[in-house]
Amino acid sequence: MKVVIPGGTGQVGTILTRSLEADGHQVVVLTRCPAHPRETAWDGRTLGPWAEALDGADAVVNLAGRSVSCRYTPANLAEMMASRVDSARVVGQAIAAAARPPRVWLQMSTATVYAHAAAGAAPNDETHGVLGGTEPDVPGYWEFSVRIARSWEREQELAVTPLTRKVALRSAMVMSPDRGGVFDVLLGLTRLGLGGAVAGGGQYVSWIHDVDFVRAVRFLIGDEGGAKGESDAALSGPVNLAAPGPLPQREFMRALRQAWGTPVGLPATRQMARLSALALRSDAELLLKSRRVVPGRLRDAGFAFEHDQWHDAAADLVHRVRCRQGGERRGEALRSVLTPAWLHG
């Protein structure tokens, strides 16, 4: 199977590429700065020689878009919008022009498209979920994040690709032990004793374990090896990629503290969260918006999660972090032994 992954050099793309290549599939990553034989240059806005990679491919998984882990300045918000909308538009153009178009196009979206889940609100699935943008008592600029998500999905909907099934991946936060991701940040705060409730901790956290994210993507592609022999149900349109067990932020962080063995997690007020986000060059929306998202269509299609509850998922991720750290320490010790003594001095 040949899979093309625009914007595939980030954490999620790296995880997906690693899984696909481990099973012998061919992966082509489209990136602005190619640095590997599998990578092909593109600008994310205009058609070019890169479009040839889509001709004859089995699937396209478009992950392109500026990271949301940044200050939500007008310039950054505009870049977030343009990078998502432009890349979705040009991928659609490339598929439409292909002599042998891919049979499926998975377009990254986000669970942030749903409304801020106030206390007592029902979980958001694809059928009954409430889209955001008009909620009372939330910062006005949060509406822009919803607008980005809806514009992102609209570009895929508008693309004329009759031979290619289209799926919008409304993904929750992907939890992976790899460095630099959201789990790495949350675990770092936990280890410092700062992993407590934020603004009371009642806001819901939606998440998905990296193993289940990859399995769900492969399930939607129709790759039977991706989900223990399950096959896709030819799903199209929006699909929530989120574990079925979202939970309040205070419980989410408590489970993470227990998994790591940290007895204390200092709480933070809303204002402290804003200041912390400022220091991390990020935005408090990522901490304060309540996302209560569940995977209705995936489960109805027969997909079974390996990690459906956060306590189990957190324990697995912590175990993998510790294994990685142990391997790094062993590698450092080996390099120390093999390095000539005169280089140590």
Side-chain angles (χ1 to χ4, degrees):
M1 181 172 68
K2 178 183 178 183
V3 180
V4 180
I5 309 180
T9 57
Q11 185 189 35
V12 172
T14 299
I15 293 167
L16 182 58
T17 296
R18 192 163 57 210
S19 172
L20 290 168
E21 289 189 336
D23 286 341
H25 298 301
Q26 179 187 359
V27 176
V28 178
V29 173
L30 304 183
T31 174
R32 287 176 170 81
C33 301
H36 188 279
R38 77 167 73 90
E39 297 174 358
T40 297
W42 83 326
D43 64 4
R45 297 190 307 274
T46 56
L47 286 173
W50 61 266
E52 297 173 6
L54 277 66
D55 200 330
D58 295 284
V60 176
V61 185
N62 185 17
L63 305 177
R66 191 202 196 286
S67 171
V68 299
S69 183
C70 64
R71 295 287 311 285
Y72 282 13
T73 63
N76 285 343
L77 288 171
E79 188 178 348
M80 276 191 260
M81 175 72 85
S83 63
R84 285 159 173 74
V85 171
D86 290 349
S87 65
R89 180 182 300 125
V90 77
V91 166
Q93 292 170 353
I95 292 173
R100 296 168 299 157
R103 55 185 172 81
V104 60
W105 168 16
L106 306 187
Q107 173 60 52
M108 194 65 164
S109 182
T110 173
T112 297
V113 73
Y114 292 108
H116 173 76
N124 288 306
D125 64 11
E126 301 90 338
T127 304
H128 304 292
V130 178
L131 299 186
T134 60
E135 308 97 305
D137 304 322
V138 301
Y141 76 93
W142 286 12
E143 181 273 337
F144 196 85
S145 297
V146 176
R147 199 189 320 164
I148 289 173
R150 298 182 77 164
S151 299
W152 208 0
E153 293 183 8
R154 189 178 304 115
E155 283 304 320
Q156 187 189 37
E157 293 170 7
L158 292 173
V160 181
T161 58
L163 300 179
T164 301
R165 179 167 54 91
K166 298 185 287 190
V167 182
L169 306 176
R170 291 180 174 172
S171 179
M173 293 185 292
V174 180
M175 298 294 170
S176 158
D178 298 282
R179 294 190 184 277
V182 63
F183 182 78
D184 189 37
V185 173
L186 294 174
L187 183 59
L189 293 172
T190 298
R191 295 172 65 181
L192 292 172
L194 302 176
V198 174
Q203 66 275 27
Y204 272 80
V205 178
S206 287
W207 56 276
I208 185 168
H209 189 284
D210 65 329
V211 168
D212 282 327
F213 177 87
V214 170
R215 292 179 60 250
V217 166
R218 296 178 65 164
F219 178 84
L220 292 166
I221 289 174
D223 169 33
E224 294 186 355
K228 290 187 175 177
E230 297 164 314
S231 61
D232 75 290
L235 291 175
S236 61
V239 175
N240 291 347
L241 265 58
L247 68 171
Q249 186 267 345
R250 57 177 171 266
E251 296 178 21
F252 181 91
M253 294 308 297
R254 184 184 301 124
L256 183 51
R257 293 197 307 269
Q258 290 172 349
W260 188 259
T262 302
V264 176
L266 296 178
T269 64
R270 189 176 299 269
Q271 185 58 28
M272 291 168 64
R274 293 193 178 104
L275 291 173
S276 297
L278 186 67
L280 293 171
R281 303 186 65 80
S282 186
D283 193 88
E285 181 189 9
L286 302 175
L287 294 172
L288 298 176
K289 181 168 181 177
S290 183
R291 299 169 176 84
R292 193 177 186 187
V293 180
V294 292
R297 299 189 71 200
L298 265 181
R299 299 194 83 179
D300 289 346
F303 182 81
F305 285 80
E306 289 189 7
H307 300 278
D308 58 356
Q309 299 301 317
W310 176 238
H311 288 76
D312 162 69
D316 174 78
L317 292 164
V318 162
H319 172 73
R320 290 164 63 194
V321 167
R322 287 190 160 127
C323 287
R324 185 198 71 210
Q325 291 176 339
E328 290 171 350
R329 285 193 295 269
R330 288 190 294 273
E332 290 172 1
L334 182 59
R335 283 192 294 273
S336 177
V337 170
L338 295 178
T339 302
W342 59 272
L343 285 179
H344 289 286

